């Protein structure tokens, strides 16, 4: 566009309201170079180059682990070796350092660039941030994400990772009742414990039947919501329904082991199937000794195909169509020897 002036000292009415209500028009100064007559009807353009830094999705990590914050570098303009950027990163996690996947970046239309942030074990759970800074080596100009950058949510440093869980359904094939006492086997799912506390004091994993609220600590007659109503029974546990005795379901840790972590490995307490799961009293499944033993991320493996066993009595009754025996259990991770 042109303004029709050649003087850089003569003011003109530019249509901009000084008081923003349309009553006072502010004077402006504008000059055309070359003159309006020269550039009239001609389009001019100027080649530019620039880089944008865009933060990716938020990431979550527990204290003591390493967070990976995703970014995208978006370059616009002519490809040139002069458009070389030095990459650095920052984070507001106390005591942490942030490191880009590359130290330098040369023009590219779009490039993923992760930033690695090892989170100290004593970090308070909360929301933190990481930022990627691209500085062009030719002139020192820098580009970064406006505001706070990429979000990193830091969780607890003493957690299940993942938590123990029974197979659901417990058996891959139904239990066929035959009027006899039976035992049916299943395989326990693997789980892990992560302890990156600054002063580890050991830990215990326990399990118990959960009879709180509407839950049932033993196998009890149940109508799934997807099948409700089951005859005259509404969805949920059947009032006055049939059940199995406590301690019918047991865990056998023989053959299972722990890997990873530092110090001495944790130990199982369930050799020979000695750990009832559907018990009102918590049963200790595994433990790590006080001190450095059991620290870091320890994961289980090697549970046998018969690591879970359910004993059913000869008096167990067949349930109405679509109904099943179901229970609730709670797994607990407790610090201390």
């Amino acid at each position: 566009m042109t303004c029709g002036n050649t003087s850089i000292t003569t003011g003109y009415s530019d249509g901009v309201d000084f008081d923003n209500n349309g009553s006072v028009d502010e004077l402006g100064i504008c000059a055309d170079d070359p003159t309006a007559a020269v550039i009239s009807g001609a389009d001019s353009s100027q080649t530019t180059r620039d880089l944008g830094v865009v933060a990716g999705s938020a990431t979550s990590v527990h204290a003591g682990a390493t967070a990976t914050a995703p970014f995208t570098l978006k370059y616009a303009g002519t490809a040139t070796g002069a458009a070389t950027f030095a990459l650095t990163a920052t984070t507001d996690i106390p005591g942490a350092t942030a490191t880009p996947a590359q130290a330098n970046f040369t023009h590219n239309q779009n490039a993923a660039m992760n930033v690695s942030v090892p989170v100290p074990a004593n970090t308070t759970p909360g929301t933190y941030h990481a930022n990627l800074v691209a500085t062009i080596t030719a002139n020192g100009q820098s580009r970064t994400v406006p505001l706070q950058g990429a979000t990193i949510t830091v969780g607890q440093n003493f957690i299940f990772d993942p938590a123990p869980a029974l197979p659901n359904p417990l058996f891959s094939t139904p239990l066929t009742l035959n009027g006899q006492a039976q035992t049916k086997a299943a395989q326990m799912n693997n789980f892990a414990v992560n302890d990156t506390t600054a002063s580890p004091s050991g830990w215990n994993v326990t399990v118990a039947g959960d009879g709180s609220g509407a839950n049932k600590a033993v196998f009890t007659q149940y109508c799934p919501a997807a099948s409700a109503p089951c005859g005259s029974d509404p969805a949920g546990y059947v009032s006055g329904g049939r059940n199995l005795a406590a301690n019918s379901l047991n865990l056998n840790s023989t053959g299972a082991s722990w890997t990873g972590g530092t110090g001495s490995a944790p130990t199982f307490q369930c050799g020979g199937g000695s750990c009832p799961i559907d018990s009102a009293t918590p049963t200790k499944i595994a433990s790590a000794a006080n001190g450095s033993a059991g620290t870091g991320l320890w994961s289980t493996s090697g549970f046998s195909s018969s690591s879970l066993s359910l004993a059913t009595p000869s008096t167990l009754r067949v349930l109405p169509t679509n109904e099943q025996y179901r229970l609730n259990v709670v797994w607990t991770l407790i610090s201390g020897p």
Side-chain angles (χ1 to χ4, degrees):
M1 63 178 288
T2 64
C3 55
N5 287 342
T6 58
S7 171
I8 62 172
T9 60
T10 302
Y12 77 105
S13 180
D14 63 357
V16 176
D17 297 327
F18 177 77
D19 59 356
N20 293 323
N21 63 13
S23 62
V24 179
D25 186 24
E26 187 178 32
L27 293 180
I29 292 178
C30 175
D32 295 324
D33 183 23
T35 65
V38 173
I39 64 175
S40 178
D43 292 330
S44 299
S45 63
Q46 175 65 48
T47 301
T48 62
R49 298 189 299 271
D50 204 355
L51 180 74
V53 182
V54 181
S57 58
T59 185
S60 297
V61 67
H62 54 71
T66 298
T68 300
F71 291 84
T72 301
L73 297 175
K74 294 189 173 183
Y75 178 79
T78 304
T80 171
T84 298
F85 298 84
L87 301 181
T88 58
T90 61
T91 181
D92 57 1
I93 298 176
T97 58
T99 305
Q102 296 176 204
N104 296 284
F105 171 79
T106 303
H107 62 81
N108 196 334
Q109 292 303 307
N110 289 290
M113 189 64 59
N114 290 335
V115 170
S116 176
V117 184
V119 180
N122 61 350
T123 300
T124 301
T127 300
Y128 300 90
H129 305 90
N131 218 330
L132 178 62
V133 182
T135 303
I136 192 166
T137 56
N139 57 22
Q141 290 188 8
S142 64
R143 296 291 184 267
T144 186
V145 178
L147 301 178
Q148 296 176 319
T151 299
I152 300 175
T153 300
V154 178
Q156 296 178 349
N157 53 6
F158 180 57
I159 55 172
F160 284 127
D161 186 21
L166 297 175
N168 187 20
L170 183 59
F171 304 119
S172 58
T173 58
L175 172 66
T176 301
L177 302 184
N178 57 11
Q180 303 293 321
Q182 299 183 75
T183 299
K184 192 170 179 64
Q187 186 173 24
M188 177 63 188
N189 290 323
N190 287 310
F191 61 95
V193 173
N194 186 66
D195 182 4
T196 56
T197 52
S199 300
S201 57
W203 47 260
N204 296 292
V205 175
T206 65
V207 64
D210 180 11
S212 64
N215 296 333
K216 298 296 182 183
V218 297
F219 282 100
T220 302
Q221 188 175 348
Y222 181 84
C223 173
S227 303
C230 301
S232 60
D233 295 327
Y237 286 108
V238 176
S239 178
R242 304 181 185 280
N243 55 58
L244 275 71
N247 306 333
S248 294
L249 180 64
N250 286 268
L251 175 65
N252 183 354
S253 60
T254 301
S257 61
W258 295 89
T259 56
T262 59
S264 302
T267 57
F268 285 108
Q269 314 295 320
C270 306
S274 58
C275 292
I277 290 176
D278 53 344
S279 171
T281 302
T283 303
K284 184 185 293 186
I285 299 297
S287 62
N290 190 6
S292 62
T295 57
L297 179 64
W298 285 95
S299 303
T300 67
S301 62
F303 283 113
S304 71
S305 59
S306 58
S307 50
L308 293 170
S309 61
L310 177 66
T312 60
S314 60
T315 55
L316 186 63
R317 300 291 295 272
V318 174
L319 298 178
T321 301
N322 295 328
E323 292 191 351
Q324 56 194 229
Y325 287 100
R326 180 169 173 159
L327 87 162
N328 302 99
V329 299
V330 57
W331 302 86
T332 306
L333 177 60
I334 307 170
S335 63

